[in-house]
Amino acid sequence: MYGEYSEPFSYRDDRIEISVEPEGASFLYRRVCDGRVVEKIIADEFNLTINPVEPFHLPEKISRFLEISFRPVILKPGSKKSIYLTFPLEIGVLLGKGTSYDLLDIFSLSATKYSLYGTPDAGQITRWHECQGFDSVPATDNRYEGVLYLTMENQSSGFIEVSRAILSDYGMQIWYGDNVSLTCSMKIFSHSTAETFIINRPLNPGMKSSIPLYVALKIPVVQRKGHFMEHGLS
Amino acid sequence: MITDNIQEILDAILTGKDVNIVGSVTGADILFFIFSLVVAFVVATIAGFYIKRKFTHRLKKDTLKFFTRVVQVIIFIIALGIAVPSFLDISITILLIGIAGALVVMALSSQNVISNFVGGIALHYERPVSSGDYISIQDISGVVEGVKMFSTIVKTTSGVFVRIPNNQVYSGTVTNYYANVARRYEYDLGIRYQDDIGKAIELVRMALEEYTYILKNPAPDIFVSDIDANSVRIKFRVWFPASWANTRDDISLYTGILPRIKLALEKEGIELPYAQAVLHFADSTLKVQNRGV
């Protein structure tokens, strides 16, 4: 399903139907997902990209932080550990080419749940996702979930238990191919503080980079180094 | 005669002649006075532009607007303080006496205006409310559109704009629902005495879990709050993202949750109770149970 299209096409599986078909001098974009139908007329020739995008826009934009909750991992002082997690996806349908894109459609098969990281007065609302944590690349359905490769580094002087990672939407670069992937690192400073970074690197060679939705929506982004987690790691 | 005099004064001003118009004030003086006010206006505009550019990312929109206006007014007052004694043959002492007199008159006649202005400054300093917050004040609930110089504008959930004087906002009781990122709501319902309480609580928990906007953490609190005349009361407290809950009125939050819980319970045979009364007769041969009202 993911890829670039400039000719009429159709895709169908058990839950999604997407097609662009000629209709007179124009084209009809049609998407059916779980019974919900979206139809739009594309007036001219088109370049259409379907790719996974950051999971922050549906059902409405409430949070810009992704919280991944996983089985606790204990790290000794100075140690480093990489694990594979999963993260939810939204599917963006974008019109355009090169550096100019517009959002045509967005939908998701993943159920959305929100959570509070920290306290009501000083915390952050997060898009919450739970997964186990794996030592090898887990089998995922790339319509629902992507694989998050997280490297944790304990820079503190004590044993630290980690069971969640909070990632900011700033510069969230997703890659797609056989899998959908995201690569991150976490520097742990203490039991309650850490910093997470999104690394612009695919999980496997040959993967294509997704067009982030903030590019399509033309949202100016202040590039930050990382996201500081200050309300605990477990 | 009067028109001749006005024409003469205008000619003197426009040509800048060294002719006395009022007392020792010449046309050139009036030209310079007007010019200095224009310069003050330009300086105030540039200052406003500079402040907006410099602080636009550090201050909220309405606070920035308020302080820009205050700085511009101060620049204009300073310009008047310099221009009036310099060009209009009014000594600084007389000017100060005039200003003091004007202030006294203003203070006496416009107490409300001044108290609203001071209230506006206090609101911007203490920030109990700011633009975009969902608040309740007196009987008004809505989103703050802006804290202006003399009043606070609130847009109610029914789309009506309400202007509240700043001194009332500052001195009154204000509930700000937007100050925190999450809000807690409380619901309760009753089940029959014969229903399994543990099962009912689990069903409520599962139904809440499926609802997108109920936060995973803090987890919902679900407990038996009372055993009343007709039912076992189950209370549950849930948290919503404030940015979502504040855009909805309380009715829609209730209608979104309670029918869902009712359906989940009824599907598993747990019913909401009727009012009931058990009558005992002295000879104990007849027992009537009234189910339903």
Coordinates of all heavy atoms in Angstrom, one line a residue, chain B residues 119-153:
Chain B
G119 N -6.7 46.6 37.5 CA -7.0 45.1 37.5 C -6.4 44.4 36.3 O -5.9 43.3 36.5
G120 N -6.4 45.1 35.2 CA -5.8 44.5 34.0 C -4.3 44.2 34.2 O -3.8 43.2 33.8
I121 N -3.6 45.2 34.8 CA -2.2 45.1 35.0 C -2.0 43.9 36.0 O -1.1 43.0 35.8 CB -1.6 46.4 35.6 CG1 -1.6 47.4 34.5 CG2 -0.2 46.1 36.1 CD1 -1.2 48.8 35.0
A122 N -2.8 43.9 37.1 CA -2.7 42.8 38.1 C -2.9 41.4 37.4 O -2.2 40.4 37.7 CB -3.6 43.0 39.2
L123 N -3.9 41.4 36.5 CA -4.2 40.1 35.9 C -3.0 39.6 35.0 O -2.7 38.4 35.0 CB -5.5 40.2 35.0 CG -6.8 40.3 35.7 CD1 -7.9 40.5 34.7 CD2 -7.1 39.0 36.4
H124 N -2.4 40.6 34.3 CA -1.3 40.2 33.5 C -0.1 39.8 34.4 O 0.8 39.0 34.0 CB -0.9 41.3 32.6 CG -1.8 41.4 31.4 ND1 -1.8 40.4 30.4 CD2 -2.8 42.3 31.0 CE1 -2.7 40.8 29.5 NE2 -3.3 41.9 29.8
Y125 N 0.0 40.4 35.5 CA 1.2 40.1 36.4 C 0.9 38.7 37.1 O 1.8 37.8 37.1 CB 1.3 41.2 37.5 CG 2.4 40.9 38.4 CD1 3.8 40.9 38.1 CD2 2.2 40.5 39.8 CE1 4.8 40.6 38.9 CE2 3.2 40.2 40.6 CZ 4.5 40.3 40.2 OH 5.5 40.0 41.1
E126 N -0.2 38.5 37.7 CA -0.5 37.3 38.4 C -0.9 36.1 37.5 O -0.8 35.0 37.9 CB -1.6 37.6 39.5 CG -1.6 36.6 40.6 CD -2.7 36.9 41.6 OE1 -2.7 38.1 42.1 OE2 -3.5 36.1 41.9
R127 N -1.5 36.4 36.4 CA -2.0 35.5 35.4 C -2.9 34.4 35.9 O -2.6 33.2 35.7 CB -0.7 34.9 34.7 CG 0.2 35.9 34.1 CD 1.3 35.2 33.4 NE 0.9 34.4 32.3 CZ 0.6 35.0 31.1 NH1 0.8 36.3 30.9 NH2 0.3 34.2 30.1
P128 N -3.9 34.7 36.6 CA -4.9 33.7 37.0 C -5.7 33.2 35.8 O -6.1 32.0 35.7 CB -5.8 34.3 38.0 CG -5.8 35.8 37.7 CD -4.4 36.0 37.1
V129 N -5.8 34.0 34.7 CA -6.4 33.6 33.5 C -5.6 34.2 32.3 O -4.9 35.2 32.5 CB -7.9 34.1 33.3 CG1 -8.7 33.6 34.4 CG2 -7.9 35.6 33.3
S130 N -5.6 33.5 31.2 CA -5.0 34.1 30.0 C -5.7 33.6 28.8 O -6.5 32.6 28.9 CB -3.5 33.9 30.0 OG -3.2 32.5 30.2
S131 N -5.4 34.1 27.7 CA -6.1 33.8 26.5 C -6.1 32.3 26.2 O -5.1 31.7 26.3 CB -5.4 34.6 25.3 OG -6.0 34.4 24.1
G132 N -7.3 31.8 25.8 CA -7.4 30.4 25.5 C -7.8 29.5 26.7 O -8.1 28.3 26.5
D133 N -7.7 30.0 27.9 CA -8.1 29.3 29.1 C -9.6 29.1 29.2 O -10.4 30.0 28.8 CB -7.7 29.9 30.4 CG -6.2 29.9 30.5 OD1 -5.5 29.3 29.7 OD2 -5.7 30.5 31.5
Y134 N -10.1 28.0 29.7 CA -11.5 27.8 29.9 C -11.8 28.1 31.4 O -11.2 27.5 32.3 CB -11.9 26.3 29.6 CG -13.4 26.1 29.7 CD1 -14.2 26.3 28.6 CD2 -14.0 25.6 30.9 CE1 -15.5 26.0 28.7 CE2 -15.3 25.4 31.0 CZ -16.1 25.6 29.9 OH -17.5 25.4 29.9
I135 N -12.6 29.1 31.7 CA -12.8 29.6 33.1 C -14.3 29.6 33.4 O -15.1 29.6 32.6 CB -12.1 31.0 33.3 CG1 -12.8 32.0 32.4 CG2 -10.6 30.9 33.0 CD1 -12.5 33.4 32.9
S136 N -14.5 29.7 34.7 CA -15.8 30.0 35.3 C -15.6 31.2 36.2 O -14.8 31.2 37.1 CB -16.4 28.9 36.1 OG -17.0 28.0 35.2
I137 N -16.4 32.2 36.0 CA -16.4 33.4 36.8 C -17.8 33.9 37.0 O -18.5 34.0 36.0 CB -15.5 34.5 36.3 CG1 -15.5 35.7 37.2 CG2 -15.8 34.9 34.9 CD1 -14.4 36.7 36.9
Q138 N -18.2 34.1 38.3 CA -19.6 34.4 38.6 C -20.4 33.3 37.9 O -20.2 32.1 38.2 CB -20.0 35.8 38.1 CG -19.3 36.9 38.8 CD -19.2 38.2 38.1 OE1 -19.7 38.3 37.0 NE2 -18.6 39.2 38.7
D139 N -21.4 33.6 37.1 CA -22.2 32.5 36.5 C -21.8 32.2 35.0 O -22.5 31.6 34.3 CB -23.7 32.9 36.5 CG -24.2 32.9 37.9 OD1 -23.6 32.2 38.8 OD2 -25.1 33.7 38.2
I140 N -20.6 32.7 34.7 CA -20.2 32.6 33.2 C -19.1 31.6 33.1 O -18.1 31.7 33.8 CB -19.7 34.0 32.7 CG1 -20.9 35.0 32.9 CG2 -19.2 33.9 31.3 CD1 -20.4 36.4 33.0
S141 N -19.3 30.7 32.2 CA -18.2 29.7 31.8 C -17.9 29.9 30.4 O -18.8 30.0 29.5 CB -18.7 28.3 32.1 OG -18.9 28.1 33.5
G142 N -16.6 29.8 30.0 CA -16.2 29.9 28.6 C -14.7 30.1 28.5 O -14.0 30.0 29.4
V143 N -14.4 30.3 27.2 CA -12.9 30.4 26.9 C -12.6 31.9 26.8 O -13.3 32.7 26.2 CB -12.7 29.7 25.5 CG1 -11.2 29.9 25.1 CG2 -13.0 28.2 25.5
V144 N -11.4 32.2 27.5 CA -11.0 33.6 27.5 C -10.5 34.0 26.1 O -9.6 33.3 25.6 CB -9.9 33.8 28.5 CG1 -9.3 35.2 28.5 CG2 -10.4 33.4 29.9
E145 N -11.1 35.0 25.5 CA -10.6 35.5 24.2 C -9.5 36.4 24.3 O -8.6 36.5 23.5 CB -11.8 36.1 23.5 CG -12.9 35.2 23.0 CD -12.4 34.3 21.9 OE1 -11.9 34.8 20.9 OE2 -12.5 33.1 22.0
G146 N -9.4 37.1 25.5 CA -8.3 38.1 25.7 C -8.5 38.9 26.9 O -9.7 39.2 27.3
V147 N -7.4 39.3 27.5 CA -7.5 40.2 28.7 C -7.1 41.6 28.1 O -5.9 41.8 27.8 CB -6.6 39.8 29.8 CG1 -6.7 40.8 31.0 CG2 -6.9 38.4 30.3
K148 N -8.1 42.5 27.9 CA -7.8 43.8 27.3 C -7.4 44.8 28.4 O -7.3 44.4 29.6 CB -9.1 44.3 26.6 CG -9.7 43.2 25.7 CD -9.0 43.2 24.4 CE -9.7 42.2 23.5 NZ -8.9 41.8 22.4
M149 N -7.3 46.1 28.0 CA -6.9 47.1 29.0 C -7.9 47.2 30.1 O -7.5 47.4 31.3 CB -6.8 48.4 28.3 CG -5.4 48.8 27.9 SD -5.2 50.5 27.5 CE -3.5 50.7 27.5
F150 N -9.2 47.2 29.8 CA -10.2 47.4 30.9 C -11.1 46.2 31.2 O -11.8 46.2 32.1 CB -11.0 48.7 30.5 CG -10.2 49.9 30.3 CD1 -10.0 50.4 29.0 CD2 -9.6 50.5 31.4 CE1 -9.3 51.5 28.8 CE2 -8.8 51.7 31.2 CZ -8.6 52.2 29.9
S151 N -11.1 45.3 30.3 CA -12.0 44.2 30.4 C -11.5 42.9 29.9 O -10.5 42.8 29.2 CB -13.3 44.5 29.7 OG -13.0 44.6 28.3
T152 N -12.1 41.8 30.4 CA -11.7 40.5 29.9 C -12.9 39.9 29.0 O -14.0 40.0 29.5 CB -11.5 39.5 31.1 OG1 -10.4 40.1 31.9 CG2 -11.2 38.1 30.7
I153 N -12.6 39.4 27.9 CA -13.6 38.9 27.0 C -13.6 37.4 27.1 O -12.6 36.7 26.9 CB -13.3 39.3 25.5 CG1 -13.1 40.9 25.4 CG2 -14.5 38.9 24.6 CD1 -14.2 41.7 25.8

